[in-house]
Amino acid sequence: MGLPALEFSDCCLDSPQFRDTLKSHEAELDKTNKFIKELIKDGKTLISALKNLSSAKRKFADSLNEFKFQCIGDAETDDEMCIARSLQEFATVLRNLEDERIRMIENASEVLITPLEKFRKEQIGAAKDAKKKYDKETEKYCGILEKHLNLSSKKKEAHLHEADNQVDLVRQHFYEVSLEYVFKVQEVQERKMFEFVEPLLAFLQGLFTFYHHGYELAKDFSDFKTQLTISIQNTRNRFEGTRSEVESLMKKMKENPHEHKTISPYTMEGYLYVQEKRHFGTSWVKHYCTYQRESKRITMVPFDQKSGGKGGEDESVILKSCTRRKTDSIEKRFCFDVEAVDRPGVITMQALSEEDRRLWMEAMDGQEPVYNSNKDIQSEGTAQLDSIGFSIIRKCIHAVETRGINEQGLYRIVGVNSRVQKLLSVLMDPKTASETEVDICAEWEIKTITSALKTYLRMLPGPLMMYQFQRSFIKAAKLENQESRVSEIHALVHRLPEKNRQMLQLLMNHLANVANNHKQNLMTVANLGVVFGPTLLRPQEETVAAIMDIKFQNIVIEILIENHEKIFNTVPDALLTNTQPSLSWKKSNDSKPPSCSERPLTLFHTAQATEKPPRIQAQLHPSHRPGPCSLRHPALCPPHLRPVTHPPSAHHCEKLKRCMPARLNMTQSSRSQQALSSIMFIHLRSLVG
């Protein structure tokens, strides 16, 4: 139950019940006072803790913002750039959140602490002061009343009348003080219902504003969070593939380190101990030495074993001679002497082993005979980009697109190796390869067929996109602008040999079809890039750096798949600006027709009219001179050198086509095509007389 009301009429009676009721109100005020005092203390502790939390979070955000990721390689993928940027994004979100928290903390002092302190001081404090006054007046009134009641009735009437008046005045004042005190007590009891609760509501409103701001920040952060989640997953997937490749390379290096040495610009390099003369004898100092056979330059870098780095300045000398040191001439093993052109005396060096010394002496053309035990590593494939190769790839593609385009994990799931090898042996058999039948028997599983396709591409002597262009493709994938990437790869594709480009186009058209069915087969463009990147752009040497570039190989394949129609069916802008084919030239007996480079639609031009019969000069190579015909086909020989005139062969027509611009746009008008056909016909007629 609540507190009973304090009636003003009870102030005059000042009954024990009134006093009990007043004491209950006083006890409630005292409890409220203690509670508010404790609440103010806790509020200040909370604000201090929030300030410390904000300071800690700001420091945490600063640490995130200062850290910069360093990825392996000279460029980053879009996913890696997103991940690297994530720390700065996190820091920005935290800072914005803490800015709002600081505003909340500053408001908390005003909306919570100050009002509570004011209420406690002005209202409860005033009630306490009123109580003190009331107690004082009560004591005074009671004292005067007792004294007045003890007056003797024998006193003079005037004296008694004066005493009565004095008591009445004190009583009247006591009643007024009592009424004021009761009024104040009830006022404070009523005020606390809003003046005490209202600051708490304002404080909570500040908290709600803070949390709402956090919610808005979370909404704004949502898009980046989604992108970051995808980037993290893509990077994790690439890591799993890369890790297995690196681990495989590590195992190969453990088994046979000499067969996996990095291609170096130096003929020989490694650690050697160089004998150095001191005042009290000699010492052997460890150096990292490199030697280039072309320049005969030896570079020696002293190595400090304790610090694990350079121990002094580099020294370079030009080799004059190298001689093996006899065993009985020095206490150390594996030694040889080097004479330098630009340094007097002999430099005695100690190799790490007998084999190491032999390799150094072989590199430096040592005087003793050296037998090279290194195995020549050849990776010649049995596959070729010939008619058989194209037939195999077409058969595999046809089988996949007709029987397995919707199989989940297409090209990612690997077939049994023995079955794959058996299928390849069947497909590569010249008897079956020449057949026009494009179907592969249904007995072969789709995963076996896809594995056979990938294996055949790996069996090529070089990757389909060629070693010489690999760095260019990787560099293009590292460009920041997506349009620039596509443009650069577009131009590089058209620099590939014709057969490589045709095979690549055949494959990319197929992979685009596979990607279009990704909802069924789960093979998105990104997944296909992971599968075919290392196959079509495999590195010339197997190194950790090359493995780190696999992610960019995948990006190249993704671009080829997504833009296959533009890349293979249109001419790159760079080629259009450099090559302007002319379809007509001025016919004149007095002027020489343009050369093959000036008019790319012809192979030959007619010589000037002379005393001899007109001849057709072959413009195949600058070194070709008139004489006995050395061309494989008689139709390519000048008329006066070929014994019999034959109609133009298909071989000749093919050569004539190749002399024309290889990258004419496939969307030329029919009129331009008719003009080309007419020009070809005119020149073929001139060849056959």
Side-chain angles (χ1 to χ4, degrees):
M1 295 296 292
L3 295 171
L6 290 170
E7 295 294 341
F8 291 124
S9 59
D10 292 337
C11 294
C12 298
L13 295 174
D14 197 19
S15 64
Q17 292 81 7
F18 170 74
R19 287 284 179 169
D20 289 340
T21 303
L22 188 58
K23 283 181 180 180
S24 65
H25 279 266
E26 289 172 349
E28 177 64 22
L29 282 179
D30 189 55
K31 185 176 71 172
T32 302
N33 180 50
K34 289 180 179 179
F35 176 71
I36 292 176
K37 183 179 179 181
E38 196 66 26
L39 191 65
I40 291 172
K41 180 182 176 182
D42 293 341
K44 289 181 178 179
T45 303
L46 174 61
I47 291 173
S48 177
L50 288 174
K51 287 181 179 178
N52 292 334
L53 174 63
S54 181
S55 177
K57 282 195 172 182
R58 282 187 180 278
K59 187 175 180 181
F60 180 70
D62 292 340
S63 299
L64 288 177
N65 190 57
E66 289 171 2
F67 185 79
K68 299 292 188 295
F69 278 105
Q70 292 294 332
C71 297
I72 299 176
D74 57 354
E76 299 174 346
T77 64
D78 291 342
D79 293 327
E80 288 172 340
M81 285 188 282
C82 179
I83 292 173
R85 195 174 76 251
S86 64
L87 298 187
Q88 283 68 45
E89 293 289 338
F90 296 158
T92 301
V93 171
L94 288 174
R95 283 205 194 98
N96 290 337
L97 199 60
E98 293 317 303
D99 289 341
E100 186 64 27
R101 190 194 302 275
I102 289 297
R103 283 191 286 271
M104 180 194 71
I105 292 171
E106 292 173 350
N107 290 334
S109 182
E110 293 182 12
V111 301
L112 178 65
I113 304 300
T114 302
L116 288 178
E117 287 180 338
K118 182 179 179 181
F119 177 76
R120 182 170 172 268
K121 180 180 179 181
E122 294 183 358
Q123 300 302 323
I124 298 180
K128 285 186 175 183
D129 293 339
K131 183 180 185 307
K132 289 178 182 179
K133 187 176 180 181
Y134 174 72
D135 291 340
K136 184 178 179 181
E137 290 298 325
T138 300
E139 184 180 356
K140 181 180 177 181
Y141 171 67
C142 291
I144 290 176
L145 185 61
E146 287 182 7
K147 185 179 178 181
H148 180 68
L149 293 176
N150 288 329
L151 286 176
S152 174
S153 59
K154 296 179 180 181
K155 292 280 186 181
K156 292 180 179 181
E157 188 66 28
H159 183 73
L160 292 175
H161 184 69
E162 183 182 354
D164 290 340
N165 291 335
Q166 186 180 4
V167 169
D168 289 339
L169 288 174
V170 172
R171 182 187 296 114
Q172 183 64 32
H173 185 67
F174 168 69
Y175 289 161
E176 290 177 359
V177 171
S178 178
L179 288 170
E180 290 176 359
Y181 177 53
V182 168
F183 175 77
K184 190 62 181 178
V185 168
Q186 293 194 122
E187 180 188 17
V188 173
Q189 294 286 21
E190 294 297 322
R191 275 181 177 272
K192 75 177 183 181
M193 302 300 292
F194 56 90
E195 288 196 2
F196 166 50
V197 176
E198 192 174 31
L200 295 174
L201 176 61
F203 176 71
L204 286 178
Q205 184 61 38
L207 278 177
F208 296 151
T209 303
F210 168 71
Y211 290 129
H212 180 72
H213 183 73
Y215 172 74
E216 292 295 329
L217 284 176
K219 283 175 59 179
D220 295 340
F221 188 71
S222 177
D223 291 341
F224 179 77
K225 185 185 76 170
T226 303
Q227 181 186 359
L228 180 60
T229 303
I230 296 172
S231 296
I232 290 173
Q233 188 59 43
N234 291 341
T235 305
R236 179 181 283 111
N237 294 339
R238 291 190 185 114
F239 163 76
E240 293 298 333
T242 303
R243 184 183 182 280
S244 61
E245 294 285 342
V246 174
E247 187 176 15
S248 175
L249 176 59
M250 179 187 68
K251 291 178 180 178
K252 292 178 183 177
M253 293 292 291
K254 285 182 178 179
E255 294 170 0
N256 197 343
H258 295 292
E259 290 188 2
H260 293 84
K261 287 185 176 179
T262 305
I263 298 176
S264 172
Y266 303 108
T267 308
M268 188 66 185
E269 60 180 317
Y271 284 104
L272 292 172
Y273 285 85
V274 180
Q275 187 183 48
E276 294 185 357
K277 294 182 179 180
R278 307 291 186 186
H279 294 293
F280 302 99
T282 59
S283 65
W284 293 84
V285 181
K286 191 175 184 180
H287 288 71
Y288 190 82
C289 302
T290 59
Y291 174 69
Q292 286 183 321
R293 177 170 287 167
E294 293 78 9
S295 61
K296 292 193 173 185
R297 179 174 295 277
I298 305 173
T299 302
M300 298 174 288
V301 181
F303 178 79
D304 186 1
Q305 193 71 40
K306 294 181 179 179
S307 66
K310 290 176 62 175
E313 297 296 326
D314 302 357
E315 182 181 3
S316 295
V317 296
I318 304 299
L319 176 68
K320 181 179 180 182
S321 65
C322 174
T323 308
R324 184 179 68 84
R325 190 71 177 262
K326 293 182 180 180
T327 306
D328 55 359
S329 66
I330 193 169
E331 294 181 357
K332 298 284 186 178
R333 303 168 66 197
F334 321 131
C335 294
F336 58 95
D337 291 335
V338 170
E339 288 186 280
V341 175
D342 49 352
R343 174 174 168 173
V346 174
I347 305 172
T348 302
M349 297 181 171
Q350 182 186 25
L352 304 182
S353 64
E354 186 64 41
E355 175 67 11
D356 191 41
R357 176 173 68 174
R358 185 187 65 76
L359 293 174
W360 276 102
M361 290 188 63
E362 180 187 16
M364 295 182 180
D365 298 322
Q367 293 182 359
E368 294 187 356
V370 179
Y371 300 95
N372 186 8
S373 63
N374 283 344
K375 297 179 180 179
D376 294 332
I377 302 173
Q378 296 180 351
S379 58
E380 294 183 0
T382 57
Q384 298 292 333
L385 290 177
D386 52 9
S387 58
I388 294 178
F390 275 88
S391 174
I392 291 172
I393 299 300
R394 287 193 179 98
K395 288 179 181 179
C396 291
I397 290 175
H398 179 77
V400 171
E401 293 193 346
T402 54
R403 293 198 281 123
I405 194 70
N406 292 328
E407 282 202 13
Q408 291 189 1
L410 191 64
Y411 284 109
R412 188 181 279 276
I413 299 176
V414 182
V416 179
N417 186 54
S418 58
R419 294 276 295 167
V420 173
Q421 296 300 327
K422 185 175 180 181
L423 175 59
L424 279 174
S425 64
V426 172
L427 293 174
M428 295 175 70
D429 187 350
K431 295 180 181 178
T432 59
S434 60
E435 296 177 1
T436 57
E437 179 64 41
V438 295
D439 288 336
I440 297 177
C441 296
E443 65 179 272
W444 299 101
E445 295 178 300
I446 292 299
K447 64 180 181 180
T448 303
I449 297 172
T450 56
S451 296
L453 183 147
K454 292 186 293 183
T455 303
Y456 189 85
L457 293 173
R458 294 191 197 103
M459 290 167 59
L460 293 171
L464 189 61
M465 297 171 74
M466 304 188 72
Y467 292 128
Q468 67 192 80
F469 295 111
Q470 186 191 33
R471 294 309 308 165
S472 299
F473 278 112
I474 297 297
K475 186 177 179 182
K478 293 177 180 179
L479 295 174
E480 294 184 2
N481 184 273
Q482 179 69 12
E483 186 177 345
S484 301
R485 295 179 193 173
V486 176
S487 178
E488 187 66 21
I489 291 174
H490 188 186
L492 288 170
V493 165
H494 284 263
R495 290 174 60 189
L496 293 172
E498 187 69 25
K499 289 186 177 180
N500 294 61
R501 192 171 68 256
Q502 290 176 356
M503 179 68 80
L504 188 62
Q505 181 178 7
L506 180 67
L507 187 61
M508 290 304 115
N509 290 341
H510 168 58
L511 295 183
N513 191 14
V514 172
N516 289 337
N517 293 271
H518 70 275
K519 291 184 178 179
Q520 291 78 30
N521 57 40
L522 306 182
M523 293 303 291
T524 61
V525 172
N527 290 338
L528 292 171
V530 171
V531 173
F532 282 90
T535 299
L536 302 181
L537 273 168
R538 67 177 184 267
Q540 192 166 7
E541 54 177 323
E542 196 172 5
T543 63
V544 174
I547 293 173
M548 291 300 109
D549 275 342
I550 288 177
K551 53 197 173 188
F552 294 105
Q553 297 173 4
N554 303 346
I555 292 174
V556 173
I557 304 305
E558 292 175 23
I559 291 174
L560 288 175
I561 296 174
E562 291 175 340
N563 303 273
H564 67 283
E565 292 186 357
K566 173 184 177 181
I567 289 176
F568 293 101
N569 296 334
T570 63
V571 183
D573 294 338
L575 293 178
L576 283 173
T577 56
N578 294 335
T579 306
Q580 298 292 341
S582 175
L583 299 181
S584 62
W585 58 84
K586 183 179 179 181
K587 295 181 181 180
S588 173
N589 294 331
D590 300 329
S591 62
K592 184 179 178 180
S595 64
C596 186
S597 61
E598 294 171 340
R599 51 180 173 96
L601 298 180
T602 62
L603 272 173
F604 311 105
H605 67 270
T606 306
Q608 297 287 342
T610 59
E611 296 177 357
K612 295 181 180 181
R615 298 185 302 172
I616 299 176
Q617 286 291 103
Q619 302 292 318
L620 296 177
H621 196 277
S623 62
H624 186 80
R625 297 287 183 271
C629 183
S630 60
L631 297 177
R632 293 184 179 181
H633 201 287
L636 299 179
C637 300
H640 68 288
L641 294 179
R642 61 176 184 257
V644 181
T645 299
H646 299 286
S649 67
H651 180 72
H652 177 76
C653 292
E654 186 65 27
K655 283 183 175 288
L656 187 60
K657 290 178 182 178
R658 285 202 298 269
C659 187
M660 292 189 295
R663 299 172 180 82
L664 281 176
N665 195 317
M666 302 297 294
T667 60
Q668 286 179 332
S669 64
S670 58
R671 180 175 297 179
S672 299
Q673 294 175 358
Q674 292 174 1
L676 291 176
S677 302
S678 301
I679 294 168
M680 288 176 62
F681 178 75
I682 292 170
H683 284 279
L684 290 175
R685 286 191 60 184
S686 67
L687 290 176
V688 299

